[in-house]
Amino acid sequence: MAEVIRMPLMSDTMTEGVIVDWFYKVGDAVKSGDILAEVETDKATMELENYDDGVLLHIGVEKGKAALVNSIIAIIGKKGEDVKAILDSEPEIAGGEEPVKEEVAESEPAATPEPVATATPAKASTPKASPATSTASSNGKLKASPLAKSMAKESGIDITALKGSGDEGRIIKRDIEDAIANGVVPKAQASIALPVYSGEEGYTENTNSQMRKAIARRLGESKFSAPHFYLTMEINMDVAVESRKRLNEVSPVKISFNDLIVKACANALRKHPAVNSSWMGDTIRTYQHVHVGVAVAIEDGLIVPVIKFADGKSLAHISQETKDLAGKAKNKQLQPEEFSGNTFTISNLGMFGIEEFTAIVNPPDACILAVGAINKVPRVINDEIKVANVMKVTLSCDHRVVDGAVGAQFLNTVKSNLEDPVRMLI
Protein backbone atom coordinates (compact mmCIF):
# COMPACT_ATOMS: atom_id res chain seq x y z
CA MET A 1 0.00 0.00 0.00
CA ALA A 2 1.37 3.43 -0.95
CA GLU A 3 2.46 5.73 1.89
CA VAL A 4 1.77 9.47 1.74
CA ILE A 5 4.30 12.07 2.88
CA ARG A 6 2.78 15.41 3.84
CA MET A 7 4.34 18.78 4.65
CA PRO A 8 4.84 18.60 8.43
CA LEU A 9 4.03 21.39 10.89
CA MET A 10 7.39 22.29 12.41
CA SER A 11 6.46 25.41 14.41
CA ASP A 12 3.35 27.09 15.77
CA THR A 13 3.69 29.87 13.15
CA MET A 14 4.40 27.72 10.09
CA THR A 15 1.74 27.74 7.36
CA GLU A 16 3.81 26.48 4.44
CA GLY A 17 7.25 25.14 3.60
CA VAL A 18 9.45 25.64 0.54
CA ILE A 19 11.14 22.63 -1.07
CA VAL A 20 14.78 23.71 -1.29
CA ASP A 21 15.91 20.54 -3.06
CA TRP A 22 14.85 16.97 -3.82
CA PHE A 23 17.58 14.33 -3.37
CA TYR A 24 15.68 11.65 -5.31
CA LYS A 25 13.55 11.63 -8.46
CA VAL A 26 10.38 9.74 -9.30
CA GLY A 27 11.17 6.05 -9.85
CA ASP A 28 14.16 5.97 -7.49
CA ALA A 29 14.29 3.33 -4.76
CA VAL A 30 14.40 4.80 -1.25
CA LYS A 31 14.98 3.28 2.17
CA SER A 32 13.95 4.13 5.69
CA GLY A 33 16.30 6.81 7.03
CA ASP A 34 17.04 8.36 3.62
CA ILE A 35 16.80 12.14 3.42
CA LEU A 36 14.27 12.83 0.67
CA ALA A 37 14.45 16.63 0.54
CA GLU A 38 15.37 19.85 2.30
CA VAL A 39 12.49 22.05 3.45
CA GLU A 40 12.73 25.72 4.36
CA THR A 41 10.32 26.66 7.15
CA ASP A 42 9.77 30.05 8.78
CA LYS A 43 12.35 29.15 11.41
CA ALA A 44 15.03 26.98 9.80
CA THR A 45 16.03 24.73 6.91
CA MET A 46 15.15 21.14 7.82
CA GLU A 47 15.72 17.73 6.27
CA LEU A 48 12.73 15.54 5.35
CA GLU A 49 13.46 11.99 6.46
CA ASN A 50 11.83 8.89 4.96
CA TYR A 51 10.51 6.13 7.23
CA ASP A 52 9.50 3.46 4.72
CA ASP A 53 11.25 1.30 2.10
CA GLY A 54 9.93 1.50 -1.45
CA VAL A 55 9.95 3.51 -4.65
CA LEU A 56 9.34 7.25 -4.95
CA LEU A 57 6.11 7.18 -6.97
CA HIS A 58 5.10 10.83 -6.88
CA ILE A 59 6.57 14.27 -6.13
CA GLY A 60 3.80 16.75 -5.40
CA VAL A 61 5.72 20.03 -5.38
CA GLU A 62 8.67 21.18 -7.45
CA LYS A 63 12.01 22.40 -6.14
CA GLY A 64 11.74 26.05 -5.12
CA LYS A 65 7.95 25.92 -4.72
CA ALA A 66 5.87 26.22 -1.54
CA ALA A 67 3.56 23.59 -0.07
CA LEU A 68 0.86 24.16 2.53
CA VAL A 69 1.20 22.33 5.83
CA ASN A 70 -0.39 18.86 5.63
CA SER A 71 -0.55 18.85 1.83
CA ILE A 72 0.85 15.88 -0.09
CA ILE A 73 4.43 16.42 -1.19
CA ALA A 74 5.43 12.84 -2.03
CA ILE A 75 4.12 9.27 -2.21
CA ILE A 76 6.20 6.12 -1.66
CA GLY A 77 5.08 2.58 -2.48
CA LYS A 78 5.75 -0.47 -4.62
CA LYS A 79 7.04 -0.09 -8.15
CA GLY A 80 4.13 0.39 -10.57
CA GLU A 81 1.58 1.06 -7.84
CA ASP A 82 -1.17 3.50 -8.86
CA VAL A 83 -1.36 6.77 -6.89
CA LYS A 84 -4.23 8.34 -8.84
CA ALA A 85 -6.87 7.40 -6.26
CA ILE A 86 -4.87 9.07 -3.50
CA LEU A 87 -4.37 12.26 -5.49
CA ASP A 88 -8.00 12.38 -6.61
CA SER A 89 -9.16 12.19 -2.99
CA GLU A 90 -6.95 15.15 -2.04
CA PRO A 91 -8.90 18.46 -2.28
CA GLU A 92 -5.79 20.53 -2.79
CA ILE A 93 -2.16 19.59 -3.46
CA ALA A 94 0.81 21.64 -2.24
CA GLY A 95 -1.05 24.89 -1.88
CA GLY A 96 -2.08 25.04 -5.53
CA GLU A 97 1.37 24.28 -6.99
CA GLU A 98 1.48 21.91 -9.93
CA PRO A 99 2.95 18.50 -9.02
CA VAL A 100 6.05 17.20 -10.70
CA LYS A 101 5.07 15.10 -13.70
CA GLU A 102 5.84 11.41 -13.55
CA GLU A 103 4.79 8.17 -15.13
CA VAL A 104 3.37 5.36 -13.02
CA ALA A 105 2.00 1.98 -14.07
CA GLU A 106 -1.70 1.32 -13.63
CA SER A 107 -2.74 -0.96 -10.79
CA GLU A 108 -5.31 -1.24 -8.05
CA PRO A 109 -5.98 2.15 -6.37
CA ALA A 110 -4.55 2.55 -2.88
CA ALA A 111 -6.37 3.88 0.16
CA THR A 112 -5.25 7.18 1.64
CA PRO A 113 -2.71 6.41 4.40
CA GLU A 114 -1.41 8.37 7.34
CA PRO A 115 1.69 10.65 6.99
CA VAL A 116 4.95 8.77 7.45
CA ALA A 117 7.65 11.41 7.37
CA THR A 118 8.66 14.35 9.48
CA ALA A 119 11.33 16.99 9.08
CA THR A 120 14.26 16.94 11.46
CA PRO A 121 17.44 19.03 11.67
CA ALA A 122 20.51 17.57 10.02
CA LYS A 123 22.69 15.34 12.19
CA ALA A 124 26.44 15.20 11.76
CA SER A 125 28.23 11.93 11.04
CA THR A 126 31.86 10.94 10.73
CA PRO A 127 33.05 10.54 7.10
CA LYS A 128 35.95 12.85 6.23
CA ALA A 129 35.76 15.46 3.48
CA SER A 130 38.68 15.95 1.12
CA PRO A 131 39.56 18.61 -1.48
CA ALA A 132 38.48 18.09 -5.07
CA THR A 133 38.74 20.10 -8.25
CA SER A 134 35.01 20.47 -8.93
CA THR A 135 31.67 20.00 -7.18
CA ALA A 136 29.47 21.35 -9.96
CA SER A 137 26.69 19.40 -11.62
CA SER A 138 26.29 19.08 -15.36
CA ASN A 139 24.37 22.36 -15.50
CA GLY A 140 27.22 24.21 -13.79
CA LYS A 141 25.46 24.70 -10.44
CA LEU A 142 27.21 23.88 -7.19
CA LYS A 143 25.80 20.71 -5.62
CA ALA A 144 25.56 21.64 -1.93
CA SER A 145 22.79 21.91 0.64
CA PRO A 146 21.75 25.42 1.80
CA LEU A 147 22.95 24.57 5.30
CA ALA A 148 26.37 23.55 3.96
CA LYS A 149 26.62 26.77 1.93
CA SER A 150 25.69 28.85 4.97
CA MET A 151 28.25 27.07 7.20
CA ALA A 152 30.96 27.43 4.54
CA LYS A 153 30.30 31.14 4.15
CA GLU A 154 30.35 31.70 7.91
CA SER A 155 33.61 29.74 8.31
CA GLY A 156 35.36 31.29 5.29
CA ILE A 157 35.69 27.95 3.50
CA ASP A 158 36.07 27.58 -0.27
CA ILE A 159 33.19 25.17 -0.76
CA THR A 160 34.07 24.57 -4.42
CA ALA A 161 37.28 22.83 -3.30
CA LEU A 162 35.39 20.19 -1.31
CA LYS A 163 34.29 16.74 -2.42
CA GLY A 164 30.80 15.97 -1.21
CA SER A 165 29.84 12.78 0.59
CA GLY A 166 26.13 13.14 -0.17
CA ASP A 167 24.09 11.73 -3.03
CA GLU A 168 25.89 12.21 -6.39
CA GLY A 169 28.73 14.05 -4.69
CA ARG A 170 26.50 16.64 -3.03
CA ILE A 171 28.20 18.67 -0.29
CA ILE A 172 26.35 18.40 3.01
CA LYS A 173 26.79 19.58 6.58
CA ARG A 174 29.22 16.88 7.66
CA ASP A 175 31.61 17.76 4.80
CA ILE A 176 31.88 21.33 6.08
CA GLU A 177 32.37 20.15 9.67
CA ASP A 178 35.15 17.78 8.58
CA ALA A 179 36.82 20.51 6.51
CA ILE A 180 36.80 22.81 9.53
CA ALA A 181 38.16 20.06 11.80
CA ASN A 182 40.92 19.06 9.36
CA GLY A 183 41.83 22.59 8.27
CA VAL A 184 42.45 21.36 4.72
CA VAL A 185 40.55 23.98 2.73
CA PRO A 186 41.86 27.56 2.35
CA LYS A 187 39.55 30.54 2.34
CA ALA A 188 38.32 31.49 -1.13
CA GLN A 189 39.84 34.56 -2.75
CA ALA A 190 37.20 37.27 -2.71
CA SER A 191 36.36 38.88 -6.04
CA ILE A 192 36.80 42.64 -6.42
CA ALA A 193 33.52 44.48 -6.93
CA LEU A 194 33.56 47.36 -9.41
CA PRO A 195 32.24 50.65 -8.04
CA VAL A 196 28.88 52.05 -9.10
CA TYR A 197 29.63 55.38 -10.74
CA SER A 198 27.66 58.54 -10.16
CA GLY A 199 24.56 58.75 -12.30
CA GLU A 200 24.00 55.01 -12.56
CA GLU A 201 20.83 53.54 -11.11
CA GLY A 202 20.25 49.99 -10.02
CA TYR A 203 18.93 47.64 -7.38
CA THR A 204 18.77 43.99 -6.44
CA GLU A 205 15.80 41.95 -5.28
CA ASN A 206 15.95 38.82 -3.18
CA THR A 207 13.05 36.45 -2.64
CA ASN A 208 11.88 36.64 0.95
CA SER A 209 12.67 33.54 2.99
CA GLN A 210 9.96 31.75 4.96
CA MET A 211 11.51 33.19 8.14
CA ARG A 212 11.40 36.77 6.83
CA LYS A 213 7.75 36.29 5.78
CA ALA A 214 6.88 34.97 9.24
CA ILE A 215 8.63 37.90 10.96
CA ALA A 216 6.75 40.39 8.77
CA ARG A 217 3.41 38.68 9.36
CA ARG A 218 3.67 38.11 13.11
CA LEU A 219 5.19 41.47 14.06
CA GLY A 220 2.84 43.31 11.71
CA GLU A 221 -0.10 41.64 13.41
CA SER A 222 1.37 42.45 16.83
CA LYS A 223 2.11 46.11 16.08
CA PHE A 224 -1.26 46.88 14.51
CA SER A 225 -3.53 44.70 16.65
CA ALA A 226 -1.95 45.12 20.11
CA PRO A 227 -2.02 48.68 21.51
CA HIS A 228 1.63 49.25 22.52
CA PHE A 229 2.95 51.62 25.16
CA TYR A 230 6.52 52.04 26.33
CA LEU A 231 8.25 52.53 29.69
CA THR A 232 11.93 53.54 29.78
CA MET A 233 14.15 53.38 32.86
CA GLU A 234 17.82 53.93 33.70
CA ILE A 235 19.57 51.26 35.77
CA ASN A 236 22.83 51.84 37.65
CA MET A 237 24.97 48.82 36.80
CA ASP A 238 27.97 49.62 39.04
CA VAL A 239 27.27 46.78 41.48
CA ALA A 240 26.30 44.41 38.64
CA VAL A 241 29.65 45.11 36.90
CA GLU A 242 31.56 44.28 40.05
CA SER A 243 29.37 41.28 40.90
CA ARG A 244 29.85 39.83 37.42
CA LYS A 245 33.64 39.99 37.84
CA ARG A 246 33.42 38.10 41.13
CA LEU A 247 30.94 35.56 39.74
CA ASN A 248 33.22 34.78 36.79
CA GLU A 249 36.07 34.02 39.18
CA VAL A 250 34.17 30.96 40.42
CA SER A 251 31.63 30.18 37.69
CA PRO A 252 32.28 27.13 35.45
CA VAL A 253 31.05 29.19 32.47
CA LYS A 254 31.39 32.90 31.70
CA ILE A 255 28.44 34.94 32.97
CA SER A 256 27.38 37.75 30.64
CA PHE A 257 25.38 40.86 31.44
CA ASN A 258 22.58 39.39 29.34
CA ASP A 259 22.51 36.35 31.65
CA LEU A 260 22.07 38.71 34.62
CA ILE A 261 19.22 40.47 32.78
CA VAL A 262 17.48 37.16 31.98
CA LYS A 263 17.66 36.12 35.63
CA ALA A 264 16.51 39.55 36.86
CA CYS A 265 13.49 39.48 34.54
CA ALA A 266 12.64 35.87 35.38
CA ASN A 267 12.58 36.63 39.10
CA ALA A 268 10.54 39.80 38.49
CA LEU A 269 8.00 37.84 36.39
CA ARG A 270 7.48 35.46 39.31
CA LYS A 271 6.72 38.49 41.50
CA HIS A 272 4.50 40.21 38.89
CA PRO A 273 2.49 37.44 37.16
CA ALA A 274 0.30 39.96 35.31
CA VAL A 275 3.30 40.68 33.05
CA ASN A 276 3.78 36.93 32.51
CA SER A 277 0.50 36.74 30.57
CA SER A 278 -1.11 36.58 27.10
CA TRP A 279 -4.17 38.15 25.49
CA MET A 280 -6.51 35.33 24.40
CA GLY A 281 -9.46 37.39 23.16
CA ASP A 282 -12.17 36.60 25.70
CA THR A 283 -9.66 35.81 28.44
CA ILE A 284 -6.22 36.77 29.70
CA ARG A 285 -4.02 33.73 30.26
CA THR A 286 -1.59 34.12 33.19
CA TYR A 287 1.18 31.52 33.15
CA GLN A 288 2.38 29.68 36.23
CA HIS A 289 5.71 28.96 34.54
CA VAL A 290 8.36 31.48 33.43
CA HIS A 291 9.83 30.88 29.94
CA VAL A 292 12.09 33.74 28.82
CA GLY A 293 12.76 34.16 25.09
CA VAL A 294 16.10 35.69 24.07
CA ALA A 295 16.08 37.28 20.60
CA VAL A 296 19.01 36.13 18.42
CA ALA A 297 19.91 37.80 15.11
CA ILE A 298 20.76 35.36 12.30
CA GLU A 299 21.35 35.77 8.58
CA ASP A 300 17.69 35.38 7.58
CA GLY A 301 16.28 37.61 10.32
CA LEU A 302 15.46 37.02 13.95
CA ILE A 303 14.65 33.94 16.02
CA VAL A 304 13.81 33.64 19.71
CA PRO A 305 15.22 30.60 21.54
CA VAL A 306 13.50 30.06 24.89
CA ILE A 307 15.10 29.58 28.33
CA LYS A 308 12.40 27.52 30.02
CA PHE A 309 11.75 27.75 33.79
CA ALA A 310 14.36 30.52 33.87
CA ASP A 311 13.39 31.68 37.36
CA GLY A 312 14.51 28.35 38.84
CA LYS A 313 17.87 28.17 37.05
CA SER A 314 21.26 29.41 38.22
CA LEU A 315 23.19 32.09 36.34
CA ALA A 316 25.69 29.45 35.16
CA HIS A 317 22.84 27.26 33.85
CA ILE A 318 21.25 30.21 32.04
CA SER A 319 24.61 31.19 30.53
CA GLN A 320 25.37 27.71 29.17
CA GLU A 321 21.85 27.17 27.84
CA THR A 322 21.79 30.58 26.13
CA LYS A 323 25.13 29.89 24.40
CA ASP A 324 23.97 26.45 23.24
CA LEU A 325 20.66 27.74 21.88
CA ALA A 326 22.27 30.74 20.16
CA GLY A 327 24.76 28.43 18.43
CA LYS A 328 21.96 26.16 17.24
CA ALA A 329 19.97 29.17 16.02
CA LYS A 330 22.83 30.45 13.87
CA ASN A 331 23.32 26.98 12.36
CA LYS A 332 19.54 26.52 11.85
CA GLN A 333 19.53 23.48 14.10
CA LEU A 334 16.93 24.53 16.67
CA GLN A 335 14.20 22.02 17.45
CA PRO A 336 10.63 23.45 17.48
CA GLU A 337 10.34 23.04 21.25
CA GLU A 338 13.46 25.22 21.66
CA PHE A 339 11.94 28.30 19.98
CA SER A 340 8.34 28.11 21.22
CA GLY A 341 6.50 28.56 24.50
CA ASN A 342 7.93 31.95 25.51
CA THR A 343 5.98 33.95 28.09
CA PHE A 344 8.28 37.02 27.99
CA THR A 345 11.02 38.17 25.60
CA ILE A 346 14.29 40.10 25.90
CA SER A 347 15.90 41.90 22.94
CA ASN A 348 19.43 43.13 23.68
CA LEU A 349 21.24 45.43 21.24
CA GLY A 350 23.71 46.74 23.79
CA MET A 351 26.58 44.79 22.23
CA PHE A 352 26.06 46.83 19.05
CA GLY A 353 26.42 50.14 20.89
CA ILE A 354 22.69 50.96 20.82
CA GLU A 355 21.88 53.06 23.87
CA GLU A 356 18.08 52.95 23.73
CA PHE A 357 15.36 51.52 21.47
CA THR A 358 11.82 50.15 21.48
CA ALA A 359 10.86 46.62 20.46
CA ILE A 360 7.60 45.18 19.11
CA VAL A 361 5.83 42.75 21.45
CA ASN A 362 6.58 39.15 20.43
CA PRO A 363 3.31 37.15 20.39
CA PRO A 364 1.97 35.52 22.48
CA ASP A 365 3.80 37.59 25.11
CA ALA A 366 2.30 40.69 26.68
CA CYS A 367 5.67 42.44 27.06
CA ILE A 368 9.19 42.60 25.63
CA LEU A 369 12.21 44.28 27.21
CA ALA A 370 14.58 46.24 24.93
CA VAL A 371 18.07 46.47 26.46
CA GLY A 372 20.66 49.09 25.53
CA ALA A 373 24.40 49.39 26.08
CA ILE A 374 26.10 50.02 29.43
CA ASN A 375 27.80 53.44 29.28
CA LYS A 376 29.92 55.41 31.71
CA VAL A 377 28.07 58.69 32.30
CA PRO A 378 28.13 61.44 34.96
CA ARG A 379 25.35 61.10 37.52
CA VAL A 380 24.50 62.74 40.85
CA ILE A 381 24.99 60.10 43.55
CA ASN A 382 24.60 61.11 47.22
CA ASP A 383 24.70 64.79 46.18
CA GLU A 384 28.01 64.29 44.39
CA ILE A 385 28.73 64.09 40.65
CA LYS A 386 30.26 60.69 39.92
CA VAL A 387 30.89 58.49 36.89
CA ALA A 388 28.41 55.62 36.85
CA ASN A 389 27.78 52.58 34.63
CA VAL A 390 24.27 53.23 33.33
CA MET A 391 22.05 51.00 31.18
CA LYS A 392 18.72 52.05 29.66
CA VAL A 393 15.90 49.55 29.24
CA THR A 394 12.50 50.02 27.59
CA LEU A 395 9.54 47.79 28.33
CA SER A 396 7.03 47.50 25.45
CA CYS A 397 3.61 46.47 26.77
CA ASP A 398 0.37 45.22 25.26
CA HIS A 399 -2.08 47.60 26.92
CA ARG A 400 -4.87 45.02 26.64
CA VAL A 401 -3.05 42.94 29.25
CA VAL A 402 -0.65 45.21 31.14
CA ASP A 403 -1.44 48.68 32.48
CA GLY A 404 1.12 51.42 33.07
CA ALA A 405 1.37 50.96 36.83
CA VAL A 406 1.83 47.18 36.48
CA GLY A 407 4.59 47.66 33.91
CA ALA A 408 6.29 50.27 36.09
CA GLN A 409 6.23 48.02 39.14
CA PHE A 410 7.75 45.18 37.11
CA LEU A 411 10.54 47.46 35.82
CA ASN A 412 11.30 48.66 39.34
CA THR A 413 11.74 45.05 40.46
CA VAL A 414 14.08 44.38 37.51
CA LYS A 415 16.01 47.52 38.44
CA SER A 416 16.31 46.41 42.08
CA ASN A 417 17.55 42.95 41.01
CA LEU A 418 20.26 44.39 38.76
CA GLU A 419 21.36 47.16 41.10
CA ASP A 420 21.73 44.61 43.90
CA PRO A 421 22.25 41.17 42.26
CA VAL A 422 22.34 39.43 45.65
CA ARG A 423 18.53 39.67 45.56
CA MET A 424 18.51 37.18 42.67
CA LEU A 425 20.52 34.61 44.61
CA ILE A 426 18.14 34.34 47.53
Side-chain angles (χ1 to χ4, degrees):
M1 180 179 292
E3 300 290 342
V4 172
I5 298 176
R6 299 179 183 271
M7 178 61 70
L9 177 65
M10 297 308 299
S11 75
D12 56 355
T13 60
M14 179 181 171
T15 58
E16 64 180 14
V18 172
I19 300 296
V20 177
D21 200 6
W22 284 104
F23 300 154
Y24 295 89
K25 60 183 182 295
V26 172
D28 287 349
V30 293
K31 297 180 179 179
S32 176
D34 286 346
I35 303 301
L36 298 178
E38 276 186 339
V39 178
E40 181 190 352
T41 72
D42 60 342
K43 300 291 187 181
T45 299
M46 319 290 278
E47 290 183 339
L48 189 73
E49 185 176 351
N50 176 44
Y51 291 105
D52 196 59
D53 294 343
V55 174
L56 184 56
L57 301 175
H58 172 80
I59 290 178
V61 60
E62 296 178 358
K63 173 182 175 180
K65 300 295 185 179
L68 294 176
V69 169
N70 208 39
S71 61
I72 295 177
I73 58 176
I75 298 176
I76 292 174
K78 296 179 180 179
K79 185 176 181 180
E81 192 170 356
D82 186 19
V83 299
K84 187 175 183 301
I86 297 175
L87 299 177
D88 288 346
S89 66
E90 190 74 6
E92 184 177 352
I93 298 176
E97 299 292 352
E98 289 297 325
V100 179
K101 294 180 180 179
E102 73 281 337
E103 295 182 0
V104 294
E106 292 186 2
S107 63
E108 292 297 322
T112 304
E114 295 298 321
V116 296
T118 57
T120 56
K123 296 182 180 179
S125 55
T126 56
K128 301 293 181 182
S130 58
T133 56
S134 175
T135 55
S137 61
S138 58
N139 60 9
K141 292 184 178 180
L142 181 69
K143 294 192 294 185
S145 72
L147 180 57
K149 291 178 183 178
S150 175
M151 292 174 64
K153 181 179 179 181
E154 186 175 312
S155 304
I157 288 176
D158 181 4
I159 195 170
T160 61
L162 287 178
K163 182 179 180 180
S165 61
D167 184 50
E168 297 182 354
R170 189 169 182 275
I171 298 172
I172 56 178
K173 174 190 170 188
R174 64 167 173 254
D175 300 319
I176 304 300
E177 292 177 332
D178 291 338
I180 295 172
N182 297 333
V184 296
V185 182
K187 185 174 182 178
Q189 180 66 37
S191 59
I192 300 174
L194 294 176
V196 177
Y197 295 101
S198 177
E200 294 182 359
E201 295 183 353
Y203 62 88
T204 61
E205 286 188 357
N206 297 311
T207 302
N208 288 326
S209 66
Q210 295 298 101
M211 178 178 291
R212 178 53 61 186
K213 290 178 183 178
I215 291 171
R217 183 180 67 254
R218 284 170 58 80
L219 294 187
E221 290 171 355
S222 174
K223 181 65 175 177
F224 297 114
S225 65
H228 284 52
F229 73 91
Y230 309 95
L231 302 171
T232 300
M233 178 176 283
E234 281 191 355
I235 299 176
N236 187 318
M237 296 291 285
D238 284 344
V239 178
V241 169
E242 183 59 33
S243 297
R244 176 174 173 263
K245 290 180 181 178
R246 296 180 63 184
L247 285 167
N248 281 330
E249 291 175 358
V250 296
S251 175
V253 293
K254 186 176 181 180
I255 306 297
S256 69
F257 286 112
N258 198 68
D259 299 328
L260 292 171
I261 294 165
V262 170
K263 183 65 174 177
C265 289
N267 285 14
L269 289 167
R270 180 58 66 194
K271 186 174 181 180
H272 303 278
V275 178
N276 196 48
S277 301
S278 296
W279 177 259
M280 305 303 293
D282 293 332
T283 62
I284 293 176
R285 178 177 296 172
T286 299
Y287 300 101
Q288 296 177 351
H289 54 273
V290 176
H291 292 350
V292 178
V294 180
V296 175
I298 60 177
E299 185 177 355
D300 288 342
L302 190 72
I303 195 166
V304 184
V306 180
I307 310 297
K308 297 189 175 180
F309 307 104
D311 58 322
K313 293 179 177 177
S314 67
L315 286 167
H317 193 159
I318 291 172
S319 175
Q320 186 61 59
E321 189 170 343
T322 301
K323 290 181 177 66
D324 291 344
L325 291 173
K328 286 185 178 181
K330 291 178 180 178
N331 288 326
K332 296 185 176 181
Q333 295 176 322
L334 283 176
Q335 296 283 353
E337 64 270 15
E338 294 173 323
F339 54 74
S340 59
N342 45 286
T343 62
F344 183 86
T345 300
I346 295 171
S347 180
N348 190 343
L349 293 179
M351 65 285 292
F352 298 106
I354 302 300
E355 294 185 359
E356 180 182 353
F357 70 103
T358 59
I360 299 173
V361 172
N362 179 36
D365 303 346
C367 296
I368 183 172
L369 187 71
V371 181
I374 300 174
N375 293 315
K376 289 184 177 295
V377 294
R379 287 292 182 268
V380 177
I381 302 175
N382 296 328
D383 295 329
E384 295 181 4
I385 298 178
K386 296 182 179 180
V387 175
N389 291 285
V390 172
M391 179 180 73
K392 288 185 178 181
V393 297
T394 299
L395 185 69
S396 303
C397 304
D398 181 347
H399 214 327
R400 298 173 301 179
V401 182
V402 176
D403 295 326
V406 174
Q409 291 166 2
F410 170 79
L411 268 189
N412 273 296
T413 301
V414 173
K415 176 182 174 76
S416 297
N417 287 341
L418 289 172
E419 290 188 342
D420 187 10
V422 173
R423 293 172 179 267
M424 297 187 290
L425 306 178
I426 297 175

